[in-house]
């Protein structure tokens, strides 16, 4: 594949395009071998940052066998280093095995496992203060969107993060806007719907955290992104990449990674 212009992987504000795979609770030794195969084959545009969210049990194996241009991320972690928290994993443990990226606040954590805005803020704080980069997810449900509450919900989720972390932490955050109604449903937000919310998120960060921080922060879109839908979405000025669930398990992920450069 020929990358027409490397510069197109950057927005006018110099934000590097970033695409993440979120494997969720999927994968086996066999299927992971196949995924690593297509990631190695690529080719991946050199100016796109790529990460994959991997279930805890496979993290070390994937970290050992992944190509150098792909970062390995955990899909969750807890808010303290160690202790009586059966079933939990801490940033200290992830760092111990060489993993320093984590996805936090995914809507499945919020809605299936009952994680509150406050807990997600605390997790972001602990992870970042201990040297991790966090992909922090926000997004509204269908009822909330239909009730005209999209901004209210997203600003509340952002505030819970901002309330817990200092300004200096924001360079270690990538935001992911994932409308809950679009996740795993085959209903991708239209490029205009996504852009509208991305712009609101950027404005909120500029006004409530800092102008420079709002300009620099990267905001991924997630929710049924496919090889077909990624091209138009990637043209929107405030969409800086994607967080991809189902399609990240398939070779189609490479098309999404290269959305901005093909
Ligand atoms: P999906 O998932 O691409 O399968 O909709 C996205 C996500 O949950 O991050």
């Amino acid at each position: 594949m020929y990358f027409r212009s490397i510069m197109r992987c950057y927005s006018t504000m110099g934000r590097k395009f970033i695409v993440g795979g979120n494997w969720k609770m999927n994968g086996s030794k066999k299927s992971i071998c196949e995924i690593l195969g297509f990631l190695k084959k690529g080719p991946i545009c050199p100016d796109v940052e790529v990460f994959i969210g991997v279930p805890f049990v496979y993290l070390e194996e994937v970290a050992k066998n992944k190509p150098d241009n792909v970062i390995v991320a955990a899909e969750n972690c807890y808010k303290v280093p160690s202790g009586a928290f059966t079933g939990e994993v801490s940033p200290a443990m992830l760092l111990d095995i060489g993993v320093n990226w984590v996805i936090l606040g995914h809507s499945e954590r919020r809605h299936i496992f009952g994680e509150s805005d406050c807990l997600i803020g605390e997790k972001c704080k602990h992870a970042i203060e201990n040297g991790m980069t966090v992909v922090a997810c926000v997004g509204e449900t269908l009822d909330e969107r239909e009730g005209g509450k999209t901004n209210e919900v997203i600003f509340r989720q952002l505030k819970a993060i901002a309330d817990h972390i200092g300004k200096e932490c924001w360079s270690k955050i990538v935001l992911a806007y994932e409308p809950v109604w679009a996740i795993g449903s085959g209903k991708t937000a239209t490029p205009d719907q996504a852009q509208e919310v991305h712009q609101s998120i950027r404005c909120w960060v500029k006004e409530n955290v800092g102008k420079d921080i709002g300009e620099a922060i990267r905001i991924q879109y997630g929710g049924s992104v496919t090889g077909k839908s990624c091209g138009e979405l990637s043209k929107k000025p405030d969409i800086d990449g994607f967080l991809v669930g189902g399609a990240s398990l398939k070779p189609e992920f490479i098309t999404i990674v290269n959305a901005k450069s093909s």
Side-chain angles (χ1 to χ4, degrees):
M1 192 183 299
Y2 172 63
F3 297 114
R4 254 177 255 153
S5 164
I6 283 171
M7 291 315 288
R8 290 183 57 205
C9 299
Y10 288 88
S11 69
T12 42
M13 297 312 304
R15 296 185 297 266
K16 189 175 184 176
F17 207 69
I18 178 164
V19 177
N22 176 13
W23 292 2
K24 312 192 180 194
M25 198 176 73
N26 291 300
S28 60
K29 285 194 173 191
K30 185 169 174 281
S31 73
I32 285 171
C33 241
E34 288 163 15
I35 296 171
L36 290 174
F38 70 68
L39 288 173
K40 278 180 195 155
K41 187 166 165 233
I44 290 175
C45 171
D47 283 311
V48 178
E49 197 160 21
V50 180
F51 66 85
I52 42 174
V54 174
F56 289 133
V57 286
Y58 297 120
L59 277 171
E60 253 192 306
E61 183 168 336
V62 171
K64 233 184 278 161
N65 296 305
K66 70 171 182 65
D68 289 346
N69 54 357
V70 173
I71 295 164
V72 174
E75 298 175 11
N76 184 28
C77 66
Y78 199 49
K79 61 173 179 175
V80 292
S82 63
F85 302 101
T86 304
E88 290 297 312
V89 168
S90 69
M93 292 169 172
L94 294 171
L95 292 164
D96 195 32
I97 60 161
V99 172
N100 59 4
W101 279 59
V102 63
I103 301 169
L104 290 174
H106 190 277
S107 70
E108 286 145 21
R109 299 300 321 171
R110 292 176 187 270
H111 297 291
I112 302 174
F113 299 100
E115 292 193 5
S116 65
D117 292 339
C118 179
L119 176 61
I120 292 158
E122 290 171 324
K123 286 181 173 197
C124 288
K125 172 183 163 67
H126 181 68
I128 295 170
E129 286 181 356
N130 285 280
M132 302 205 62
T133 297
V134 168
V135 180
C137 306
V138 296
E140 82 288 3
T141 64
L142 187 58
D143 277 358
E144 289 163 344
R145 172 164 281 261
E146 287 176 350
K149 292 192 171 146
T150 300
N151 280 354
E152 182 187 320
V153 169
I154 284 162
F155 296 166
R156 190 196 71 220
Q157 294 170 342
L158 289 170
K159 184 174 183 298
I161 296 170
D163 283 348
H164 285 89
I165 64 171
K167 277 194 180 182
E168 71 289 352
C169 293
W170 282 83
S171 62
K172 303 292 282 178
I173 288 201
V174 173
L175 292 174
Y177 167 57
E178 297 204 304
V180 181
W181 48 272
I183 294 178
S185 63
K187 283 187 208 147
T188 322
T190 65
D192 285 343
Q193 278 175 323
Q195 166 59 25
E196 189 183 10
V197 181
H198 281 234
Q199 191 176 19
S200 307
I201 291 173
R202 194 175 307 289
C203 282
W204 190 93
V205 177
K206 280 187 196 169
E207 278 166 22
N208 294 279
V209 184
K211 193 165 181 297
D212 294 356
I213 296 168
E215 290 290 359
I217 197 153
R218 291 177 294 174
I219 310 170
Q220 296 179 302
Y221 168 76
S224 298
V225 177
T226 62
K228 274 201 184 125
S229 59
C230 65
E232 288 304 308
L233 285 160
S234 75
K235 290 182 189 151
K236 293 295 178 186
D238 290 296
I239 298 182
D240 305 309
F242 303 114
L243 185 56
V244 186
S248 72
L249 303 166
K250 303 183 232 167
E252 178 185 4
F253 184 57
I254 301 297
T255 307
I256 301 171
V257 162
N258 294 325
K260 195 94 177 159
S261 49
S262 55

